[in-house]
Amino acid sequence: MVNRVVTGAHYGVRDWLIQRITAAVMAVYSVLLAGYLLLQPALDYDVWTGLFSSQLMRSFTLLFLLSLYYHAWIGVRNIVMDYVRHDGARLVIQVLVILAVLLYTIWSVQILWGM
């Protein structure tokens, strides 16, 4: 009888799917924003404030940023799990990355909604 030992958290398919979804969200937002900016005759403060004065644009920008942060977290976490062998160092790096992502999220909300 073969005794199979299963270890790890089994993130594989879920992480792969989340990476694809977040990449698609970022791609669509980037293409739409680039198209809008290319159609503007002049890029100045009024154009930027007009663009981000819309609640819809702020919401889509926050969705883009949350997708970016989650996408980055999955990538960094996987790299750290693959290449950092010392458990203590891995934990410290992952906690620092999580704190950075949370701070970036709070900062993004403050920027978009002017809190």
Side-chain angles (χ1 to χ4, degrees), residues 25-103:
V25 168
M26 292 185 293
V28 168
Y29 179 87
S30 298
V31 167
L32 292 175
L33 183 63
Y36 174 82
L37 295 176
L38 288 173
L39 294 175
Q40 297 303 312
L43 289 175
D44 56 6
Y45 180 76
D46 293 332
V47 171
W48 280 107
T49 55
L51 176 63
F52 287 100
S53 65
S54 164
Q55 193 75 3
L56 186 63
M57 185 60 185
R58 288 185 201 167
S59 298
F60 282 132
T61 301
L62 185 60
L63 177 63
F64 167 81
L65 291 170
L66 292 175
S67 296
L68 175 72
Y69 301 150
Y70 199 44
H71 189 94
W73 160 245
I74 291 172
V76 170
R77 187 198 66 214
N78 289 342
I79 289 170
V80 170
M81 287 188 332
D82 287 345
Y83 294 107
V84 178
R85 293 293 174 207
H86 189 268
D87 291 338
R90 186 182 316 141
L91 178 64
V92 168
I93 292 169
Q94 288 182 343
V95 167
L96 289 175
V97 171
I98 289 170
L99 289 175
V101 167
L102 288 173
L103 288 173

